[in-house]
Amino acid sequence: MNKPLFMRIVDRLSNEVEFFRQKEDALGRLSLSPLQKCTAAIRVLAYGNAADAVDEYLRLGETTTRSCVEHFVEEIINLFGEEYLRRPTPADLQRLLEVGEFRGFPGMIGSIDCMHWEWKNCPTAWKGQYSRGSGKPTIVLEAVASFCLWIWHAFFGPPGTLNDINVLDRSPVFDDIIQGHAPAVTYYVNGREYHLAYYLTDGIYPKWATFIQSIREPQGPKAVLFAKHQEAIRKDVERAFGVLQARFAIVKNPALFWDKGKIGNIMRACIILHNMIVEDERDGYTLSNLSEFQHGDDPGSSHVDLDFQTDIPSNIANMMGARSRIRDQHKHQQLKADLVEHIWHKFGHNEDIN
């Protein structure tokens, strides 16, 4: 991360957290500075080193470094989690819808997938629950990422024996829609009006109105073109996982902690730091030039109703109705067919498909 961003984190922690404040002992000798403690924590997260690997560089012992890491990730979550690991606001949702429409998928607000983090020191009694075919215990992270690699949703903790569908059954990804707290969305595909935003997924996810998969073994130029664009844009979440692991080697390497709660704090803190870096550097590495996806003078049909009432009573009837709309397979098939036609109309004249 850039130095101004790191210093902003150090200043906030030193001002608001007692552990990171520099103190004096009875002889007037100063303790470790906030910069030393934060640098030790960042080095452990970024390089995935053991706690005793920074003793010569920063003059910290192993136990002190481990304490710095634990306090650092907890306070990152407390101080920055509400802003950098949040649900999309109506303004965020409007921007995501506009970008999705420019890229050829009206109503698309991101892509969803799962990642496994190996747990090296998993307790022996739990290894059967957390081990898959490889024989190594893992913990699953379900995430939703947008085109700029911002991670909007992170659900971490299910055991590695679960596949993406089992993780989805436990996930709170649609809780705001079921409880009536999600803003109303309207968009048009192939002349037909829709009101549920959706995610791009791979083939394992169910055929719900909120998921759009690629076409397996596409036949005909329209299906081939749709599969090409869907599979290209769905890679946003794969890119987000790759960048997260490249920035924080502790997430890429096997987890060395015994306590699952501490492992969860590390993952959430790394995602928050990742989003902070994305906000700081977003304009510098975005691969998509949105002007390339604009078609003529069409201003776009996707919009969020800012006046929509989001305090709908969450009684059983409303919740079951929302759940049925999310899992509507007929709406899924209709939306997918309309998207195939929309993609062909938008990009078909630029493709040379045999």
Side-chain angles (χ1 to χ4, degrees):
M1 67 175 66
N2 293 331
K3 182 178 178 180
L5 176 59
F6 177 65
M7 295 308 301
R8 171 190 160 200
I9 295 173
V10 174
D11 292 341
R12 184 90 182 266
L13 291 174
S14 62
N15 291 329
E16 301 186 29
V17 181
E18 181 69 24
F19 176 82
F20 289 95
R21 291 175 184 162
Q22 192 170 31
K23 307 176 184 67
E24 292 184 0
D25 61 12
L27 298 177
R29 294 177 300 188
L30 293 176
S31 64
L32 296 171
S33 69
L35 192 59
Q36 282 178 287
K37 296 179 180 179
C38 292
T39 302
I42 283 289
R43 287 182 68 88
V44 171
L45 297 179
Y47 298 116
N49 295 331
D52 60 353
V54 298
D55 53 354
E56 294 184 3
Y57 183 73
L58 293 169
R59 304 297 180 89
L60 270 73
E62 179 182 359
T63 55
T64 305
T65 301
R66 187 179 295 111
S67 179
C68 289
V69 172
E70 294 177 4
H71 282 86
F72 182 82
V73 295
E74 290 177 1
E75 298 307 328
I76 286 291
I77 295 171
N78 294 335
L79 297 180
F80 300 100
E82 185 175 353
E83 180 180 359
Y84 290 98
L85 193 58
R86 67 179 190 273
R87 296 278 185 175
T89 63
D92 295 328
L93 201 56
Q94 181 65 48
R95 179 170 55 85
L96 294 173
L97 289 172
E98 291 174 356
V99 172
E101 186 163 0
F102 291 157
R103 304 177 78 186
F105 286 87
M108 186 268 293
I109 56 174
S111 50
I112 186 172
D113 204 358
C114 292
M115 180 189 84
H116 290 257
W117 185 11
E118 183 182 342
W119 188 4
K120 181 178 180 180
N121 289 330
C122 174
T124 303
W126 293 1
K127 284 190 175 181
Q129 180 182 0
Y130 284 81
S131 300
R132 302 190 69 179
S134 64
K136 297 179 180 179
T138 59
I139 307 176
V140 181
L141 167 68
E142 180 192 72
V144 172
S146 59
F147 72 103
C148 64
L149 307 186
W150 185 291
I151 297 176
W152 292 102
H153 160 77
F155 175 57
F156 181 76
T161 51
L162 302 183
N163 61 21
D164 294 9
I165 299 177
N166 305 135
V167 175
L168 178 64
D169 289 337
R170 302 183 177 194
S171 171
V173 63
F174 295 126
D175 283 2
D176 55 344
I177 300 177
I178 293 176
Q179 296 172 4
H181 299 156
V185 173
T186 302
Y187 61 94
Y188 294 85
V189 183
N190 199 30
R192 188 174 282 112
E193 183 177 353
Y194 293 92
H195 297 282
L196 271 181
Y198 58 87
Y199 302 115
L200 299 185
T201 70
D202 54 17
I204 192 174
Y205 281 86
K207 292 177 172 56
W208 293 356
T210 49
F211 293 140
I212 294 294
Q213 301 87 0
S214 180
I215 298 176
R216 185 178 181 182
E217 299 180 358
Q219 304 294 320
K222 292 183 179 180
V224 170
L225 182 62
F226 172 82
K228 174 184 175 181
H229 282 265
Q230 194 276 350
E231 292 167 11
I233 297 176
R234 193 198 69 80
K235 296 301 182 185
D236 289 346
V237 67
E238 304 287 358
R239 289 170 53 221
F241 287 149
V243 172
L244 179 68
Q245 292 178 330
R247 283 177 173 156
F248 302 101
I250 194 171
V251 177
K252 183 178 181 180
N253 299 333
L256 302 178
F257 283 81
W258 295 85
D259 190 341
K260 185 179 175 182
K262 294 179 181 178
I263 296 176
N265 287 340
I266 290 174
M267 175 62 78
R268 279 183 281 273
C270 288
I271 292 173
I272 292 170
L273 293 171
H274 166 83
N275 285 345
M276 296 176 73
I277 299 172
V278 167
E279 182 187 62
D280 188 52
E281 303 177 356
R282 187 178 340 214
D283 297 334
Y285 61 75
T286 299
L287 299 180
S288 302
N289 182 5
L290 299 184
S291 63
E292 296 178 357
F293 301 100
Q294 295 181 1
H295 184 66
D297 298 327
D298 186 7
S301 62
S302 304
H303 69 273
V304 179
D305 185 2
L306 301 179
D307 298 327
F308 179 74
Q309 193 73 14
T310 57
D311 56 352
I312 299 175
S314 56
N315 54 53
I316 189 65
N318 291 338
M319 295 174 66
M320 293 303 296
R323 184 177 181 274
S324 299
R325 290 194 301 272
I326 291 173
R327 302 183 178 218
D328 191 340
Q329 295 190 12
H330 172 72
K331 186 67 70 174
H332 165 86
Q333 298 293 346
Q334 185 182 71
L335 174 59
K336 192 169 185 178
D338 286 337
L339 283 171
V340 171
E341 294 295 330
H342 177 80
I343 292 290
W344 178 255
H345 175 72
K346 189 175 182 69
F347 299 107
H349 61 283
N350 295 328
E351 299 289 335
D352 183 14
I353 300 177
N354 297 324

